[in-house]
Amino acid sequence: MGKPTGFMEYQRLSEAYAPIEKRLKNYKEFVLRLSDEQAAVQGARCMDCGIPFCTSGCPVNNIIPDWNDLVYRGQWREAIEVLHSTNNFPEFTGRICPAPCEAACTLNINDDAVGIKSIEHAIIDKAWEEGWVLPQPADARTGKRVAVVGSGPAGLAAAQQLARAGHEVTVFEKNDRIGGLLRYGIPDFKMEKGLIDRRVEQMQAEGVVFRSGVLVGSKSMPAGIVNDATEVISAEQLQADFDAVVLSGGAEVPRDLPVPGRDLGGVHYALEFLIPQNKQVAGDKPNPISAKGKHVVVIGGGDTGSDCVGTSNRHGAASVTQFELMPMPPEQENKALVWPYWPIKLRTSSSHEEGCERDFAVATKEFIGKNGKVKALKACRVALKDGKLCEVPGSEFEIKADLVLFAMGFTQPVGGVLEAFGVGQDARGNAKASTEGERSYTTNVPKVFAAGDMRRGQSLVVWAIREGRQCAHAVDTFLMGESLLPR
């Protein structure tokens, strides 16, 4: 814990944002990190709760009370060592994780939770600034070769852990840059991509080899919304060349909305809009989809929808409306009922605050077009009846829509990869691989493992890191008979 009476003396201080009018002019991060002094005070709020539910609420089981206490005492270098012991990439989670640890914080039962995410953000940024984040190459090499397919957070975590265990690791990525959905699924204003680049440099110094623009499978297979591959390697070749293969691609198959007018111009999947924008920010050609001066409708109320809202505002959209099929959740959860679990409640993101009309319990019925372009959206109200969402009679309405973006989630991994390897799939099309027992993360194919979205479906970055680390432990055990890698 921090100060024994800190939770009674200090109030929660959240990270501040740059002014809206300033941040809408660019794609740079705008969250203002806590100062060392502010972070120390927030660390002091960590109470002697006896059982730190925050640790179990965190998918990577961060040892949160320990680094809260170290920050409170000004022992920053020790704090980053504790943080890195469970999390390979706290600069990612400190920015884009929704912080289930804070929902599980004991102080959250009847007060504001400790600002765990903001303290994590402060620790890792200070560590980079001070030069404390250094390569950790293995003392000895095992001679074993591991291929990691997919360079998102799960693949990066698995690759780093396996390289530190002494294995020769090669990461294959179908896109032109490393990072997977971290690189191309998350806008730069939420996480600047230099954060990925410096981790890649660290991992290269640790012995990891990165090969971008390489599609694993075959030319005929569908390869997701983005695919910059200039080279194809078959699954058979990968299995022949490596002692183990980790499949860690992202969930890139988006949910569709097959209603009349779906084929009109201006109706797109979210990533068709977000990925080219990230490429433009990186210096590539301009985004072919522009929201400037348009009435934008985003269908889907999650994080991807919020990213579409923020990007549309930066384009200069005339208006942005976001529809959610489910009823509006309560503004405040019943903590006595849901703690320490992740609560369902109304969440307003920084993108919403920049300008967005939100509407709940709305179903889209039709897209109305003119000259092949979408011009309006016909929708209706829905309500729960006998456990099902049903149309409310007489509730139809139309709204202007020059650009419609589908942000309704993702159903399964990028098409064709699992089929290329002959990996068994569950009912949702994900790789079938248990996380329990001696054969954790193993598939039905010898020496082929699966982790992250490839195994569990669309999920959080922090879950991907957890699965990557645990899969690395399983692969190391498979190769060496035992493993000293932490899970």
Side-chain angles (χ1 to χ4, degrees):
M1 67 170 185
K3 187 178 181 181
T5 57
F7 71 97
M8 296 186 290
E9 298 176 27
Y10 307 121
Q11 298 298 310
R12 177 185 171 108
L13 176 65
S14 298
E15 294 172 312
Y17 296 161
I20 290 175
E21 62 273 12
K22 181 178 179 180
R23 69 190 197 231
L24 285 181
K25 296 178 181 178
N26 57 66
Y27 290 85
K28 296 184 181 296
E29 291 182 10
F30 54 82
V31 177
L32 306 178
R33 187 181 104 203
L34 298 180
S35 68
D36 291 5
E37 294 75 18
Q38 290 171 331
V41 170
Q42 293 306 297
R45 297 187 70 238
C46 188
M47 61 193 300
D48 186 11
C49 59
I51 300 176
F53 285 89
C54 57
T55 297
S56 57
C58 172
V60 294
N61 303 122
N62 276 330
I63 313 170
I64 295 164
D66 289 37
W67 43 259
N68 279 343
D69 180 67
L70 290 166
V71 168
Y72 166 62
R73 301 181 188 284
Q75 297 173 273
W76 289 85
R77 186 150 195 174
E78 291 82 356
I80 187 56
E81 291 174 359
V82 173
L83 180 51
H84 266 152
S85 71
T86 55
N87 186 352
N88 295 67
F89 314 117
E91 63 269 47
F92 303 161
T93 51
R95 285 167 166 81
I96 59 176
C97 180
C101 55
E102 294 187 14
C105 173
T106 303
L107 189 57
N108 192 45
I109 295 174
N110 61 352
D111 200 346
D112 292 328
V114 173
I116 299 167
K117 180 179 173 180
S118 64
I119 299 171
E120 178 182 36
H121 184 185
I123 294 171
I124 183 58
D125 279 17
K126 184 177 180 66
W128 278 107
E129 291 167 3
E130 296 292 337
W132 298 334
V133 183
L134 300 170
Q136 300 177 35
D139 294 331
R141 292 291 172 183
T142 65
K144 302 292 186 180
R145 304 184 71 214
V146 182
V148 176
V149 181
S151 68
L156 292 177
Q160 185 166 63
Q161 293 295 94
L162 288 166
R164 290 175 176 178
H167 305 305
E168 296 178 30
V169 181
T170 302
V171 177
F172 296 89
E173 169 58 53
K174 72 181 187 302
N175 298 320
D176 60 346
R177 296 179 178 92
I178 298 300
L181 290 174
L182 275 176
R183 170 77 66 179
Y184 286 135
I186 296 169
D188 286 67
F189 57 80
K190 288 178 67 174
M191 195 188 85
E192 293 180 16
K193 302 312 179 268
L195 301 173
I196 303 172
D197 296 335
R198 65 187 182 186
R199 278 295 182 184
V200 169
E201 291 175 5
Q202 179 200 32
M203 292 172 65
Q204 287 173 326
E206 293 171 346
V208 178
V209 175
F210 291 95
R211 294 185 60 186
S212 59
V214 179
L215 179 67
V216 175
S218 68
K219 290 182 179 179
S220 62
M221 62 186 251
I225 288 177
V226 61
N227 174 22
D228 302 314
T230 57
E231 180 183 353
V232 178
I233 295 180
S234 70
E236 293 78 12
Q237 187 66 53
L238 219 60
Q239 289 169 286
D241 291 347
F242 292 88
D243 299 296
V245 178
V246 176
L247 303 180
S248 56
E252 291 186 28
V253 180
R255 286 190 176 88
D256 203 353
L257 188 58
V259 299
R262 168 64 181 90
D263 57 348
L264 288 169
V267 180
H268 300 276
Y269 292 120
L271 289 186
E272 292 177 328
F273 176 60
L274 296 175
I275 290 172
Q277 188 58 51
N278 283 16
K279 285 175 169 283
Q280 178 181 330
V281 173
D284 294 353
K285 63 184 180 181
N287 189 345
I289 303 173
S290 175
K292 186 175 182 179
K294 294 181 179 179
H295 298 284
V296 180
V297 177
V298 179
I299 300 176
D303 289 340
T304 303
S306 173
D307 295 342
C308 290
V309 170
T311 303
S312 297
N313 283 325
R314 281 159 180 75
H315 277 208
S319 68
V320 182
T321 304
Q322 186 176 24
F323 287 152
E324 167 58 49
L325 181 65
M326 299 304 293
M328 187 172 81
E331 292 189 14
Q332 181 62 51
E333 76 272 27
N334 184 339
K335 292 184 178 181
L337 181 65
V338 301
W339 181 88
Y341 301 108
W342 183 249
I344 296 175
K345 67 176 182 179
L346 182 65
R347 302 178 192 278
T348 300
S349 72
S350 58
S351 292
H352 294 139
E353 294 170 350
E354 292 165 1
C356 176
E357 292 293 328
R358 304 164 74 186
D359 206 348
F360 296 84
V362 173
T364 301
K365 299 188 69 175
E366 181 182 355
F367 301 115
I368 301 168
K370 182 179 180 181
N371 299 325
K373 303 284 188 179
V374 67
K375 291 299 176 184
L377 181 153
K378 182 185 290 185
C380 67
R381 304 287 172 186
V382 293
L384 283 170
K385 184 178 180 181
D386 299 327
K388 296 181 179 180
L389 286 172
C390 302
E391 180 178 345
V392 175
S395 66
E396 276 194 8
F397 66 95
E398 288 187 12
I399 181 173
K400 288 183 179 179
D402 306 306
L403 176 61
V404 178
L405 301 170
F406 292 169
M408 301 170 291
F410 302 87
T411 60
Q412 60 197 77
V414 56
V417 175
L418 297 180
E419 291 82 358
F421 282 89
V423 169
Q425 301 174 33
D426 63 18
R428 298 182 299 160
N430 301 317
K432 186 181 291 186
S434 172
T435 59
E436 304 296 332
E438 295 181 359
R439 291 180 50 80
S440 62
Y441 294 93
T442 60
T443 69
N444 61 299
V445 181
K447 74 180 185 181
V448 177
F449 297 73
D453 286 4
M454 188 73 77
R455 192 201 69 82
R456 65 179 291 116
Q458 177 190 359
S459 193
L460 304 175
V461 167
V462 67
W463 271 107
I465 294 172
R466 171 196 172 103
E467 295 227 340
R469 288 172 62 90
Q470 292 192 338
C471 184
H473 183 279
V475 172
D476 190 36
T477 301
F478 166 75
L479 294 173
M480 308 304 293
E482 61 179 359
S483 179
L484 297 177
L485 287 174
R487 297 187 67 195

